[in-house]
Amino acid sequence: MKRIAISVLMVIQFMMTPLWGQNETITLWEKDQLVISKDYEGEIHDTTDLIRIRKVTNPIMDVYLPSIKNRKKLAVVICPGGGYRHLAWNSEGGDFAKLLNAQGITAIVLKYRLPYEVDGVIDDTMPLRDALRAIQITRSNADKWNISGTKVGIMGFSAGGHLAVSAGVHYVDQDKLQGLDEINQPSRPDFLGLIYPVVSFSKSYAHSGSRNNLLGKNASQEKMDYHSAEKHVTEDTPPTFFLHASDDKSVPVSHSIDFYQELIANNVSAEMHIYPKGGHGFGLGFKDEHLQKWPNLLVEWMLLQE
C-alpha cells in the first residue's frame, strides 16, 4: 500500500510540475498603484481562433524559462500586437516564447495595459510604463533566472512593435514616468526586435487605429510627435532587428524603413528583412512557406547580441 501511495503522489507531483513553457507569472504593479475605470472591470478573452485579450487593467508578465542546461544569458520581453485594442496573446506571445525557449532564450510575454479613459482623460503612458517596468523586473531577477542583466531586450508585433520601439527611444524618460523610480534598475532595452511594427503616429502612413486607441481621436501634434519613434533616435538607441512585408496594407513598410534610416544616420546597428509578400499579422508565418524561416533570422541576430 505504501508503494502505491508513493507512486500516486509522484504522479500528482509530476502533473503539477511544469516541464516546459510558462514557469512564473509576475504582477507588475500593486493594486493601489492602478487607477481603473468602471468600464474596465474584468478582462475579456476571445478564443474564437486565437486568444485575444481586451480590457487589460492588471498588467502581468508570463516568464518562460528554457532548461538550465540550454539556457543562454539573454532574455527578451515580448509585446503582442492588437492595435492597442486587444492583445494577440498566444499567436504573438506564448507561441513565440516557446519557440525562443527551444533556442535557449528566456522569454517574457507582457500583458500590458490597453488605454482607457479615467475621468475623461486617457493616460497614454500606461503601456510604456508597463514595458519599461517589465525590463526592470527582468533585470532584478537576472541572478534567479541565470541570465545577464545586460542582455535584456524587448520585441513586439504591430502595435506591440510600437510599444517596443517606444521603450527603445523613451527609456530616457524613466525619471518622468510614474513608478519607474521604485526599482533600482535601468529600463533601457539592450536590443529591439520589431515585427511589422507601427512606428509613427505623425506621418501620412500612420496607423490611425493604434493612434486613436492610444491617444484618442483628437490628439495634439505634440502627443503624436512624442509617440513617433523615428523623431527620437539617437546614437544610444538600442541595436534593432526589423521584419516587414512590402504588401502590408495595414502598417506600410515605410514605418520600418524610416526608423531604419534614422538608426543608420545615427550609427546604430540595424538589420532589416523585407519580404515581398506576407501582408500584416502573419505571426510565426507557418502558413506561408516563404515566411516560415523568419523566426530563425531573429534568433540568429539575437544570439549575436550576447
Side-chain angles (χ1 to χ4, degrees), residues 97-303:
K98 295 169 188 174
L99 183 149
L100 294 178
N101 271 189
Q103 300 296 326
I105 299 171
T106 296
I108 297 95
V109 183
L110 179 63
K111 185 195 288 186
Y112 54 91
R113 283 174 290 176
L114 300 170
Y116 51 84
E117 288 188 4
V118 177
D119 297 329
V121 178
I122 297 177
D123 180 0
D124 56 283
T125 69
M126 287 191 299
L128 178 58
R129 282 188 283 135
D130 291 347
L132 295 178
R133 178 92 163 188
I135 292 171
Q136 290 179 315
I137 292 173
T138 300
R139 287 202 169 104
S140 66
N141 282 279
D143 290 342
K144 174 184 174 182
W145 296 340
N146 193 29
I147 59 173
S148 170
T150 61
K151 307 292 182 183
V152 179
I154 188 169
M155 64 172 290
F157 300 77
S158 192
H162 182 267
L163 180 53
V165 76
S166 295
V169 297
H170 289 308
Y171 67 88
V172 294
D173 298 336
Q174 176 174 332
D175 60 337
K176 303 174 186 176
L177 297 169
Q178 185 179 358
L180 295 180
D181 58 349
E182 298 171 359
I183 299 177
N184 187 26
Q185 292 288 346
S187 59
R188 178 187 181 274
D190 293 305
F191 57 87
L192 306 177
L194 306 180
I195 314 304
Y196 40 84
V198 176
V199 173
S200 181
F201 278 175
S202 60
K203 293 194 174 181
S204 59
Y205 55 72
H207 188 253
S208 59
S210 296
R211 181 179 62 196
N212 292 345
N213 287 331
L214 182 63
L215 305 181
K217 294 182 179 180
N218 299 310
S220 66
Q221 189 63 49
E222 181 182 7
K223 285 281 189 182
M224 290 190 289
D225 287 346
Y226 181 82
H227 289 283
S228 297
E230 79 280 1
K231 295 179 179 291
H232 304 282
V233 176
T234 71
E235 62 183 7
D236 294 321
T237 302
T240 304
F241 175 96
F242 297 86
L243 183 85
H244 223 122
S246 295
D247 64 347
D248 190 333
K249 304 301 182 184
S250 297
V251 180
V253 70
S254 297
H255 284 266
S256 288
I257 291 174
D258 285 359
F259 190 71
Y260 172 85
Q261 291 177 330
E262 291 297 329
L263 292 175
I264 299 306
N266 283 273
N267 298 312
V268 177
S269 176
E271 179 170 321
M272 175 180 282
H273 298 270
I274 300 177
Y275 285 88
K277 294 182 179 180
H280 188 74
F282 48 78
L284 296 178
F286 289 159
K287 292 184 177 181
D288 298 288
E289 185 175 352
H290 71 289
L291 295 173
Q292 290 178 4
K293 295 182 180 180
W294 85 254
N296 296 336
L297 299 173
L298 174 60
V299 168
E300 290 172 3
W301 179 84
M302 287 174 62
L303 293 176

